Amino acid sequence: MASFSTLSCSLALFLFFSLNIMASAQLSSTFYDTSCPQALPTIKKAVIAAVAKERRMGASLLRLHFHDCFVQGCDGSVLLDDTASFTGEKTAKPNANSLRGFDVVDTIKSQIESVCKQTVSCADILAVAARDSVVALGGPTWAVLLGRRDSTTASLSEANSDLPSPNSDLSGLISAFAKKGLSTSDMVALSGAHTIGQARCVSFRDRIYNDTNIDPTCVTVLKAKCPQSGGDDNLAPLDAVTPTIFDNFYYKNLLNKKGLLHSDQQLFNGGSTDSQVSSYATNFAKFFSDFPSAMINMGNISPLTGTDGEIRTNCRKIN
């Protein structure tokens, strides 16, 4: 017979997941159809303009959504600036001198406020901008679920502890995503976001100087960009073949030991995720089908809905 403590834990888990499902269920792709019909077209136009100006910005906007959702859930907390009495997430180790695109979000928010005052959350702007960025770079589209509200808090400590490190091994990656309610399959699909964008030398230095499961030609090229000391902010493309096109070359690179980050190559290194990587490398359509589903799952991480949180008028500060 189950102990009282076991039953209590089971009940607590049931309530936790039930509440999460209820919160996620409140999100809807038609949330702004009546209250702000110009919301999605306004975001799309701004994202297209930003990506046309700098194609790397597409990857930066996609990454903002990811770094938002993995800390306190998808609540816009990553956008909050530090003040004399408030510490945000921007100075966390995974974010400092690394996250970008805040100015683009400011522009979008300003444009949205001019057509629908205090109606569209910054958290939803990040979710839509991530989708529009993927599409602008040739990737798949999906119906973004909306209705998130903005947090009035942030967590520097959670940003430092919960965002996966570029030096993570496979078990660490699986655990980090599982902690957010995401499956291993979600993790492999979401990692395909690394088919666009660039990484700083400090993120891949250990790999090129210490790992053995890396193509020797890549090592030579990367060492020229990333010395053993200094040059921390020097950049290299996560996908050296098509760095500004959203495709499946990220996975093809992994088959050839050309993953830029240690954490990337862990997905194809004799482990449980090898078969999924192989599938995406050979089946473009499969990746383009699974990535949107995984993005929707990620966007459902602990959203604030109803009367929780607020709708910020400036994404950088609490009202």
Side-chain angles (χ1 to χ4, degrees), residues 31-42 112 115-117 119-120:
F31 190 83
Y32 296 113
D33 282 9
T34 302
S35 62
C36 190
Q38 287 304 305
L40 270 62
T42 300
I112 291 280
V115 292
C116 307
K117 187 149 185 72
T119 303
V120 181

Side-chain angles (χ1 to χ4, degrees), residues 3-15:
S3 67
F4 177 77
S5 60
T6 302
L7 288 170
S8 297
C9 287
S10 298
L11 179 59
L13 281 171
F14 172 78
L15 288 172

Side-chain angles (χ1 to χ4, degrees), residues 247-284:
D247 54 24
N248 65 337
F249 263 97
Y250 168 78
Y251 300 104
K252 293 181 179 183
N253 293 338
L254 297 185
L255 298 190
N256 294 308
K257 298 184 178 181
K258 293 181 178 180
L260 180 64
L261 307 179
H262 176 84
S263 56
D264 288 329
Q265 197 59 56
Q266 284 291 297
L267 301 185
F268 190 80
N269 194 42
S272 61
T273 54
D274 281 14
S275 59
Q276 191 176 350
V277 170
S278 296
S279 172
Y280 290 160
T282 55
N283 191 337
F284 188 90

Side-chain angles (χ1 to χ4, degrees), residues 134-145:
V134 169
V135 174
L137 294 175
T141 190
W142 61 93
V144 180
L145 300 182

